[in-house]
Amino acid sequence: MTKNPYKSPECTISQREYSASWSDYELLDAGNGKKLERWGQIITIRPDIQAVFKPEWPNSHWQQSAHWEFQEHSSTQGSWLNIKANAPEHWSISYDNLSFNLKLTKFKHVGLFPEQHANWRFIKNHTRAGQKILNLFAYTGAASLVARSNGADVVHVDSVKQMISWAKGNMEHSQLTDIKWVLEDALKFAQRELKRGNTYDGIIMDPPAWGLGANGEKWILENHLPRLLETAHELMNQGAFLILNTYSPKIALTDLAVAANSYFSAPQVDIKQLWLPAKTGKELFCGNLLRAIKRV
């Protein structure tokens, strides 16, 4: 493992944090730009640009194992090739006491980012009943459900109506209630919360590297990172936590450190790479991660 040469005087940069498989999810193998994953009883093959190495298992074994393979038609969309007859296009899996509804989408995702298991563990250990948690860019709500299952009051914000509906279905399937749903641009909502004087005990942000905003405007994460951190810091109560995932290849660990040092001081910040190990021993890079605790 290569040591990170950057040493920040203000925060800690750890090299790696590993997520883990659980009973209903496994990264089986990875390589040649793809990953082989088990979701409950369903096995998929999906593209992954970080899988630049050779897989452990031969392609014949992948094809014998998988039910579905995603085939890219462009950088943003594609379709699923059915490998095993009668394989479902919709199914559910569990994590602890939570249930997630999965389905095949034209964007290669199935409704869950399993590498976020590392953050779910953190949320589970840092939330309790009565706390206020803000989940921005909240997608299908896994982090919202983990916080809510601990009794926290959760505000879930996403700019895509279909994602809100999907997350609400996950909440109901998990026999939870009373998550507050907000269909709005995440940063704009956070800034309005600041003007309203609202504060939170935990803020979770999983912004896309790039995309389109609620009104079709272009979103590029590196352009918004300073405002995201500044707004989150102002919304945080003393002792509150912040989780920020970044998938952008243009935002390095050092960039996160420099941005975080403007608002947090040591030892409040921990910055690291997020990795997912495969059953075969391969390791897949899943982006950079910042966590911070706001203290005087």
Side-chain angles (χ1 to χ4, degrees), residues 207-267:
W210 59 272
L212 296 177
N215 298 316
E217 64 274 20
K218 289 185 179 180
W219 167 275
I220 301 175
L221 178 56
E222 53 265 31
N223 294 342
H224 295 279
L225 182 60
R227 280 196 297 165
L228 282 172
L229 284 171
E230 179 182 19
T231 305
H233 182 265
E234 292 301 312
L235 284 171
M236 295 168 69
N237 293 321
Q238 291 299 317
F241 68 82
L242 169 67
I243 298 173
L244 172 64
N245 299 287
T246 67
Y247 299 99
S248 172
K250 294 185 179 181
I251 299 178
L253 292 175
T254 52
D255 297 323
L256 283 178
V258 170
N261 286 345
S262 298
Y263 308 104
F264 300 93
S265 59

Side-chain angles (χ1 to χ4, degrees), residues 4 13 31 57 69 110 117 122 133 161-162 217 250 254:
N4 193 311
I13 295 184
W57 292 338
E69 180 173 4
V110 298
H117 175 270
F122 182 91
I133 305 298
K161 186 176 181 180
Q162 294 91 329
E217 64 274 20
K250 294 185 179 181
T254 52

Side-chain angles (χ1 to χ4, degrees), residues 11-150:
C11 63
T12 300
I13 295 184
S14 306
Q15 186 62 21
R16 297 184 179 187
E17 179 168 339
Y18 287 91
S19 285
S21 299
W22 65 94
S23 60
D24 263 5
Y25 175 80
E26 256 185 314
L27 176 61
L28 299 172
D29 195 15
N32 291 340
K34 299 179 181 181
K35 54 188 174 184
L36 182 70
E37 300 169 281
R38 179 181 63 80
W39 313 81
Q41 300 301 314
I42 303 301
I43 295 176
T44 63
I45 300 172
R46 297 192 293 160
D48 196 303
I49 61 173
Q50 301 296 340
V52 295
F53 39 81
K54 291 183 178 180
E56 187 69 23
W57 292 338
N59 183 63
S60 59
H61 183 71
W62 283 44
Q63 294 296 321
Q64 290 169 6
S65 302
H67 296 80
W68 295 96
E69 180 173 4
F70 187 83
Q71 298 181 322
E72 291 181 301
H73 302 323
S74 70
S75 60
T76 58
Q77 294 188 21
S79 60
W80 290 87
L81 174 66
N82 182 215
I83 298 176
K84 284 188 170 58
N86 302 316
E89 298 184 29
H90 301 77
W91 70 102
S92 297
I93 67 171
S94 298
Y95 169 74
D96 284 351
N97 58 330
L98 306 175
S99 295
F100 300 112
N101 300 313
L102 306 184
K103 63 182 179 182
L104 308 178
T105 75
K106 61 182 179 181
F107 308 111
K108 83 178 178 181
H109 301 302
V110 298
L112 199 64
F113 292 108
E115 69 274 8
Q116 292 304 312
H117 175 270
N119 287 324
W120 303 341
R121 292 187 310 234
F122 182 91
I123 294 166
K124 190 175 183 66
N125 291 332
H126 287 80
T127 56
R128 61 182 184 274
Q131 287 186 320
K132 292 178 60 180
I133 305 298
L134 176 61
N135 189 7
L136 302 171
F137 312 94
Y139 193 52
T140 58
S144 297
L145 268 61
V146 172
R148 184 68 188 126
S149 68
N150 266 21

